[in-house]
Amino acid sequence: MGTEAMPYISSQIDYQDSSDENGAGGRPRAIAMDCEMVGGGSDGTLEICARVCLVDEDENLIFHTYVQPIIPVTNYRYDITGLTEENLRHAMPLKEVQEKILQILYNGESIGGVLRGGKARLLVGHDLEHDLDSLKMNYPEHLMRDTAKYRPLMKTNLVSHSLKYLTRTYLGYDIQSGAHDPYEDCVSAMRLYERIRGQIHKEEHYGTLTSNKNSIGKSNCWQSEEVKNLTPDELYGMSKSDYRCWCLDLRPNLAP
């Protein structure tokens, strides 16, 4: 179940065209992304993207490159990243990296089409906001599938588990035993997403539980005496999840 380490890419980039249509039935295809950060600033705590990797649903490497730092690096975090000054000496400029990533994710779609779903890819990853911030990029929230933010994969107090923990718990193998391999992390995030997406639920369990004014309305049904007298099993039977289940991604025509 594990993954082999991604080989060193001497050209620093392995890019393939990803302009094909979405999957059968019009459902959106997914791309997993992972970034490795080095440190900047006087204390080395500023996050600088130094390496980025993208894989498709079949775990094929689509894009991998070292990224030219936008500010001087003061801590290469070698024990975690495995990166040195030599790796980044002739790295790809950030602007070019942004353009290539968006070319893959937009899949030939206009910005307006991306906002509606269209042919754009779903972006899978762990703590995607952190990765996107380091790349100085944005992506529509409704097209992101973040294993660090998905309710069933979080702790009961809604704090994120590490990708290493989730991989061991749900996929049964270990990652990040040495320097982090972005390909390995991409594959783990994609496998977690596909496992959740493949779950089958009854139709009546879709929807929201709270904060929906249209469903609760003026009756304030959850505070009524009738509801207070229901058994736990009866309450569970009438409740619905308050998050959008990833299994819905297998349906065509994704909407925001």
Side-chain angles (χ1 to χ4, degrees):
M1 286 296 294
T3 60
E4 295 183 1
M6 181 171 62
Y8 174 73
I9 300 176
S10 58
S11 64
Q12 297 186 344
I13 179 170
D14 183 0
Y15 170 66
Q16 302 170 4
D17 184 21
S18 183
S19 60
D20 57 301
E21 296 295 326
N22 277 321
R27 72 169 179 84
R29 301 279 291 176
I31 298 291
M33 181 176 76
D34 182 70
C35 297
E36 291 300 325
M37 319 296 181
V38 292
S42 59
D43 58 357
T45 58
L46 296 180
E47 297 287 272
I48 307 171
C49 180
R51 191 179 182 187
V52 61
C53 175
L54 276 72
V55 304
D56 64 17
E57 291 187 14
D58 298 319
E59 302 179 9
N60 297 313
L61 181 63
I62 295 176
F63 179 63
H64 167 238
T65 186
Y66 299 114
V67 183
Q68 192 175 100
I70 57 177
I71 61 174
V73 177
T74 55
N75 185 354
Y76 283 90
R77 304 174 183 174
Y78 179 78
D79 290 344
I80 297 176
T81 67
L83 298 177
T84 65
E85 181 179 0
E86 183 62 29
N87 295 129
L88 306 183
R89 190 179 302 280
H90 303 292
M92 183 179 291
L94 179 62
K95 181 175 175 56
E96 187 176 346
V97 172
Q98 294 168 339
E99 292 172 351
K100 290 187 178 295
I101 292 175
L102 289 178
Q103 180 183 349
I104 294 170
L105 295 180
Y106 281 18
N107 192 29
E109 188 66 88
S110 66
I111 294 178
V114 169
L115 295 176
R116 294 190 301 270
K119 297 187 298 181
R121 307 303 196 193
L122 298 175
L123 178 59
V124 175
H126 190 79
D127 199 3
L128 284 171
E129 184 176 352
H130 184 215
D131 287 346
L132 290 170
D133 282 348
S134 74
L135 289 165
K136 310 301 180 186
M137 292 176 59
N138 296 301
Y139 201 61
E141 185 176 356
H142 73 279
L143 292 175
M144 292 197 292
R145 303 293 182 264
D146 194 335
T147 56
K149 304 297 183 183
Y150 188 60
R151 296 285 188 87
L153 296 178
M154 300 175 75
K155 300 177 184 179
T156 54
N157 60 354
L158 298 185
V159 172
S160 302
H161 283 292
S162 68
L163 181 60
K164 182 174 184 176
Y165 171 86
L166 293 175
T167 301
R168 161 50 56 189
T169 301
Y170 293 97
L171 302 178
Y173 64 92
D174 291 314
I175 62 172
Q176 302 175 350
S177 55
H180 292 194
D181 180 349
Y183 173 76
E184 181 181 62
D185 290 354
C186 279
V187 168
S188 292
M190 181 64 79
R191 289 178 180 177
L192 285 166
Y193 165 70
E194 290 181 330
R195 177 165 183 173
I196 297 294
R197 185 183 65 179
Q199 293 179 334
I200 298 175
H201 305 286
K202 294 181 180 180
E203 183 71 22
E204 60 268 24
H205 283 267
Y206 297 138
T208 57
L209 170 63
T210 61
S211 303
N212 188 328
K213 294 180 181 179
N214 293 327
S215 62
I216 297 177
K218 297 180 180 179
S219 64
N220 200 16
C221 65
W222 290 100
Q223 299 298 323
S224 68
E225 289 299 323
E226 180 180 355
V227 170
K228 291 179 180 179
N229 293 328
L230 293 176
T231 66
D233 287 341
E234 290 171 330
L235 286 170
Y236 179 79
M238 65 184 290
S239 67
K240 297 179 180 179
S241 64
D242 58 354
Y243 60 89
R244 186 185 188 280
C245 184
W246 288 349
C247 69
L248 295 174
D249 290 345
L250 291 177
R251 299 184 175 191
N253 302 321
L254 176 73

